[in-house]
Amino acid sequence: MPEEVKQVEWQHIDKLKYYTLGSAFFIGINAVLYPTDVIKTRLQVQRANALYKGTFDALFKTLKSEGLKGLYRGFLVSQLSVLAGHFYVTSYEVSRSKMSFLSDGSRGFVAGGFAAVMEQFLANPIVVSQKLMIQGQGETKAKLKGAAHISTDVFKDQGVRGFYRGFLASLLTGALGSAVWWGSYGVYLDVIGHYAPDGSSHLLIQSMSGGLSGLNAAVVGNPFDIVRTRLQVEGGKSMTITFQDLIKKGGPRSLAKGILASITSWVTSSIIMIAAYETVKKLSLNKDAIHLFT
């Protein structure tokens, strides 16, 4: 018989348990996955005179010239994203719970897009971590700036608006990626659950669904992600100008810059994050809801 994979709804969760366990889980997971974001960002911002030939070349050169710490530039600042992440998840779960009249795929798509829009108001200023990521490339004795120094420079040069550079691109990238991810996730749960052997692990089905959803989001969102990253790191004037400059100098192939790193990051993080997220939700169940998922 097909496996029906039930999703834990927001009303089933003990919120104090969830936020406590979730913070610990996600900080640990971010520590594991952060290097892929560093490599992806470095690949996306490099120009024609490329320092890196590809994902693995970027990885080896970073380790050779900067050591392991090169893969964790801006890590502490980026952990502010855990707060933004909780805001995102809460927005997603609450809005999703209000749309029970839709299919899982449809309400996932709508709620995912809405949650990403809400998150961007908190997450966009973490552009500072991206500036930290690209420091010291190919240099062994580079003088590096700290987060406070970079933040001061951004504010001095551009004011508060500097922290929201590329906001529209971030909004489109985040909303599109999130909508595609959660919409795909609901569909994949049903499809994989339908064909899975009787008694299959629900966590395995959820993890597989998450990985495939990450693949979809990476492919669809990569061009927007490149434009957003360049706007935030280099201070471009607009999405249109940045996009035109990208095509003019690199051709259509430039829209695939960092695609392998992006897919690796999305798929890996999606599998780990959804497994952790669904586990945290089950560990945070209200006493009255435990019997529904056993």
Side-chain angles (χ1 to χ4, degrees):
M1 291 181 64
E3 287 289 327
E4 182 186 357
V5 183
K6 295 181 179 179
Q7 295 194 59
V8 176
E9 302 290 348
W10 192 238
Q11 63 267 25
H12 298 146
I13 294 174
D14 180 319
K15 309 306 185 292
L16 179 59
K17 270 188 187 179
Y18 169 77
Y19 288 123
T20 302
L21 290 172
S23 296
F25 263 87
F26 297 136
I27 288 174
I29 289 168
N30 284 346
V32 174
L33 298 175
Y34 191 76
T36 62
D37 280 337
V38 172
I39 297 301
K40 180 188 73 172
T41 299
R42 291 186 169 193
L43 286 169
Q44 289 180 339
V45 300
Q46 71 177 359
R47 296 290 183 173
N49 297 323
L51 174 62
Y52 310 119
K53 296 178 181 178
T55 301
F56 293 107
D57 186 51
L59 174 63
F60 294 139
K61 283 182 177 175
T62 298
L63 287 171
K64 183 178 179 180
S65 63
E66 304 168 61
L68 186 61
K69 66 181 180 181
L71 296 176
Y72 282 90
R73 298 214 184 279
F75 177 72
L76 291 179
V77 174
S78 76
Q79 294 318 291
L80 292 173
S81 64
V82 173
L83 174 62
H86 281 315
F87 187 62
Y88 167 81
V89 167
T90 303
S91 300
Y92 167 76
E93 290 288 359
V94 171
S95 58
R96 183 177 179 276
S97 69
K98 302 296 183 183
M99 295 183 286
S100 56
F101 54 89
L102 295 175
S103 67
D104 281 346
S106 297
R107 63 179 178 149
F109 184 88
V110 176
F114 173 75
V117 170
M118 299 301 294
E119 180 198 24
Q120 286 308 312
F121 290 96
L122 284 178
N124 204 86
I126 303 175
V127 60
V128 172
S129 70
Q130 291 179 320
K131 290 182 178 290
L132 288 165
M133 284 180 187
I134 64 172
Q135 289 192 106
Q137 298 180 71
E139 303 175 49
T140 55
K141 295 182 179 179
K143 186 175 180 181
L144 307 178
K145 295 180 180 180
H149 194 162
I150 290 176
S151 298
T152 301
D153 286 348
V154 171
F155 183 76
K156 184 178 179 180
D157 294 339
Q158 306 167 48
V160 175
R161 289 192 307 172
F163 294 101
Y164 284 89
R165 177 71 67 180
F167 179 75
L168 181 58
S170 281
L171 199 61
L172 291 174
T173 303
L176 179 62
S178 180
V180 169
W181 199 99
W182 286 109
S184 300
Y185 182 63
V187 172
Y188 283 130
L189 278 181
D190 289 341
V191 173
I192 297 175
H194 180 78
Y195 290 103
D198 190 30
S200 296
S201 165
H202 285 194
L203 188 60
L204 177 60
I205 294 172
Q206 289 164 335
S207 298
M208 291 174 63
S209 299
L212 291 171
S213 299
L215 176 62
N216 289 358
V219 172
V220 171
N222 197 66
F224 297 94
D225 196 28
I226 294 171
V227 172
R228 174 188 63 83
T229 300
R230 290 201 171 191
L231 275 171
Q232 291 181 329
V233 173
E234 300 175 350
K237 293 182 179 179
S238 72
M239 284 183 63
T240 303
I241 293 174
T242 301
F243 179 78
Q244 289 174 341
D245 182 62
L246 190 65
I247 296 296
K248 182 180 179 180
K249 294 180 178 178
R253 290 179 59 186
S254 63
L255 297 178
K257 276 182 177 289
I259 187 66
L260 179 58
S262 184
I263 289 174
T264 301
S265 177
W266 268 100
V267 173
T268 305
S269 62
S270 294
I271 292 172
I272 296 175
M273 291 293 276
I274 201 63
Y277 179 56
E278 295 292 358
T279 299
V280 167
K281 285 205 295 183
K282 285 191 177 180
L283 291 174
S284 305
L285 283 169
N286 288 316
K287 292 181 179 179
D288 295 339
I290 292 177
H291 71 281
L292 297 174
F293 301 92
T294 54

